[in-house]
Amino acid sequence: MNSNGAEKLKISELAKKANVTKRTIDYYTHIGLLTPKRSDSNYRYYDESAVEQLQFIAKCKKDHLTLEEIKSLLQGGEAEKVDIRLLNAKMQSLEQELLNQLSLLKNSSEAEKIAVKRQLSERGQSLIKALKPLIK
């Protein structure tokens, strides 16, 4: 423990607590998803929040977000700044739009269904993936 009572974890301890490999932690640190503290002898230490960050990263990956999208969420502090009511309203609007599209597809040919699916832009799909973890 350090002077303010927060536990300092070595990389191996963090890996064990978060159920990931040390190599994963090294990689996430290298690309900026995790930020270690340095000791006087230049050892890397992580605090308990790193465990939560690793759990958040795992959840985002499960939801098919890219590491770049996850990094953007972590660096922007978006989860703390988001107006949940506005976010819920936007998600409901997107859901309604998707339901409308699905109802149009019921009597459509396979080619028409494929065309509608293509209309869902990559950016729109990324937005939906990015918004999901912020609501749950």
Side-chain angles (χ1 to χ4, degrees):
M1 295 226 180
N2 64 20
S3 59
N4 67 5
E7 186 175 1
K8 292 197 296 189
L9 303 168
K10 295 178 186 176
I11 190 170
S12 59
E13 295 168 328
L14 176 61
K16 186 175 181 180
K17 267 191 150 177
N19 198 27
V20 297
T21 65
K22 292 189 292 185
R23 186 174 179 184
T24 297
I25 294 171
D26 279 334
Y27 181 65
Y28 289 170
T29 300
H30 177 74
I31 65 171
L33 288 175
L34 292 172
T35 306
K37 308 285 188 262
R38 294 283 181 175
S39 70
D40 293 338
S41 54
N42 208 28
Y43 285 108
R44 287 181 292 169
Y45 286 97
Y46 299 85
D47 59 27
E48 279 293 322
S49 67
V51 176
E52 294 169 12
Q53 273 187 286
L54 286 166
Q55 291 169 342
F56 177 76
I57 293 167
K59 183 180 180 342
C60 289
K61 285 179 64 179
K62 186 178 177 187
D63 289 338
H64 307 290
L65 269 69
T66 65
L67 291 178
E68 195 58 42
E69 291 168 327
I70 296 167
K71 184 176 179 181
S72 177
L73 285 173
L74 289 171
Q75 288 180 336
E78 295 297 320
E80 297 171 3
K81 297 177 184 176
V82 169
D83 180 345
I84 296 298
R85 292 174 302 208
L86 179 62
L87 190 59
N88 278 327
K90 287 192 181 287
M91 286 297 290
Q92 287 174 352
S93 173
L94 285 171
E95 286 178 29
Q96 188 58 49
E97 192 174 329
L98 286 172
L99 288 173
N100 291 342
Q101 291 296 322
L102 288 174
S103 68
L104 293 174
L105 288 177
K106 284 183 182 175
N107 299 320
S108 300
S109 70
E110 197 59 37
E112 291 170 320
K113 290 177 184 178
I114 291 170
V116 170
K117 288 177 183 178
R118 284 187 183 149
Q119 287 177 356
L120 286 176
S121 70
E122 187 176 311
R123 187 175 177 191
Q125 291 173 13
S126 293
L127 174 63
I128 290 170
K129 289 177 188 176
L131 292 175
K132 272 186 176 180
L134 297 175
I135 291 178
K136 294 179 180 177

